[in-house]
Amino acid sequence: QVQLVESGGGLVQAGGSLRLSCAASGSIFGVNAMGWYRQAPGKQRELVAVHPSSSSPSYADSVKGRFTISRDNAKNTVYLQMNSLKPEDTAVYYCNADLRSRGGGRYSYWGQGTQVTVSS
């Protein structure tokens, strides 16, 4: 079993910064990618940023130049540094881990979500 524990959300004024963290623990054989998604009220969940193990990170156009994703592979932890936050960044942010098993299977796990609210 794998668990993802997120932290770092909160309330911030527009133009401010927040840093989200997500630590994966449990039976982890390999990591294909870790990333962040978000879901605003009344909207579908959308990809914010993803950090594959074997290629460069990629970002949604709406956050390019403002958000930075990074990973600590030794700790199975992914971070999202969010700068120049805008009210439209307000959402519940979810961590995702794309993992592989010893037998070659592929599994996706989600964190519980952390609220980010940006006031204007």
Side-chain angles (χ1 to χ4, degrees):
Q1 190 69 11
V2 174
Q3 289 186 327
L4 302 183
V5 178
E6 303 163 1
S7 61
L11 172 65
V12 65
Q13 288 188 333
S17 299
L18 284 174
R19 188 188 192 216
L20 305 182
S21 299
C22 171
S25 62
S27 301
I28 299 173
F29 176 72
V31 179
N32 294 318
M34 296 186 77
W36 291 94
Y37 291 71
R38 68 186 181 187
Q39 187 167 19
K43 295 187 177 181
Q44 290 188 331
R45 190 173 297 188
E46 64 175 0
L47 174 68
V48 176
V50 62
H51 196 316
S53 295
S54 58
S55 59
S56 300
S58 60
Y59 299 89
D61 287 343
S62 58
V63 307
K64 282 181 181 177
R66 300 188 297 121
F67 291 10
T68 302
I69 189 170
S70 60
R71 281 173 56 181
D72 183 334
N73 294 328
K75 296 180 179 180
N76 287 325
T77 299
V78 62
Y79 306 94
L80 186 68
Q81 178 66 43
M82 305 185 292
N83 298 329
S84 302
L85 283 160
K86 304 176 180 180
E88 50 264 43
D89 294 318
T90 295
V92 177
Y93 283 70
Y94 296 90
C95 172
N96 175 265
D98 179 2
L99 307 178
R100 60 183 182 274
S101 68
R102 189 180 301 273
R106 189 169 182 173
Y107 303 91
S108 181
Y109 292 90
W110 293 90
Q112 79 280 6
T114 185
Q115 177 70 47
V116 171
T117 303
V118 184
S119 63
S120 57

